Amino acid sequence: MTISANGSHRQDPGTHLWDLNLKHLQAFLAVADTLSFTSAADQLGSNQPTLTRAVQRLEEQLGVPLFLRTTRQVSLSPAGARLRDRLQELLPRLTQALDPEPVSPVLRLGFSWLLPDGWVHEAIVRFEQESGARVELHRRDDRWAGADRAAVDIALLRGHPPADRMKVTGLGTEGCAAAVPHRHPLAGRPWVGWAELAGQPLVTNAIGRALLDSDGPADAERSRIVHCANFDECLESVAAGRGVSVMPDLVLRRNLHPAVEFVPLRGAPSIPLSLIRPAQGAHPLADRFTEVTRRVLLSRRARRPAPDPGRGTGAGRVLAGH
């Protein structure tokens, strides 16, 4: 408060903003990312009325509408778009400045096979910006990607997650592709049916075994399954003509081996994808990384056009965002 020369009281510029706090700004950014009060409330672990009040309070303090609302959709106003762009840069810095820990904490993210395209890297960057922590990537060639052995703090898991001792957050599913030797009869085809793999020798690692245990081709000969310890062995075994393999369909977009061709699989079971971390004694930032990942996925899904039902493997497109 300032007293002018004539004795009147005048509000200092910007002092009305002291009634705001970080929760108002985080609420705004969540809605700006998802363009949905319901989705934003879900990812923040809040509820829609609380989130609506927080955004309305911010709009009242700033004196401008931040969102344009209709009965069918929510969109950013010009002022809202400007504020979103500024806060995406400034809020992580403010959060980091308020952190009393002088050394950046580290979160170890385990994975097997390959990281999914695009959205995982976006989630890592955003998490590091917002938390001030650093993510270390650890490839682990075992079923639970190291999360069950405390070798990592959180793991990106393909396949069915462990039933106990772990907190599991489902992220969606991926489709499948067949990996076949370069001169194999299935090579060069636009797609392969899941049932066509029944008579083929199969090369598997942890993910392939998980699929075969529950959803494998009915006539697969278990004596003709080549078990591998990791992704590299699996790929080289296919290249050597030991058999064909089932892999996440992201291999269709990567040139991984000159002697292996990747063909879309139709009718194959989709591959569940989830984040897992210990139910007890988890890293204090593991849940936060999970929340950021879900927010990135929600944002990408909102921006993505409706899928073409005539393409791909159906459920495996839930995670797209390459």
Side-chain angles (χ1 to χ4, degrees), residues 12-49:
D12 290 334
T15 55
H16 59 292
L17 299 181
W18 289 113
D19 292 333
L20 300 175
N21 56 47
L22 289 178
K23 289 186 177 180
H24 294 97
L25 304 180
Q26 290 167 341
F28 164 75
L29 276 183
V31 179
D33 276 341
T34 62
L35 296 181
S36 166
F37 281 83
T38 301
S39 297
D42 180 60
Q43 74 177 16
L44 292 177
S46 182
N47 56 67
Q48 187 174 346

Side-chain angles (χ1 to χ4, degrees), residues 44-59:
L44 292 177
S46 182
N47 56 67
Q48 187 174 346
T50 299
L51 205 65
T52 299
R53 287 194 297 270
V55 171
Q56 288 176 341
R57 178 62 174 165
L58 182 58
E59 290 178 320

Side-chain angles (χ1 to χ4, degrees), residues 112-113 140-145 157-160 203-213 226-231 234 245-246 271:
S112 57
W113 287 66
R140 302 284 304 182
D141 295 319
D142 55 64
R143 187 71 174 269
W144 312 128
L157 181 71
R158 286 186 175 93
H160 301 287
V203 179
T204 72
N205 66 0
I207 303 305
R209 288 196 295 273
L211 287 173
L212 292 174
D213 288 345
V226 179
H227 297 284
C228 298
N230 55 54
F231 175 76
C234 190
S245 187
V246 178
I271 303 173

Side-chain angles (χ1 to χ4, degrees), residues 242-253:
R242 300 292 186 266
V244 302
S245 187
V246 178
M247 299 184 176
D249 65 356
L250 66 88
V251 297
L252 298 171
R253 300 178 293 277

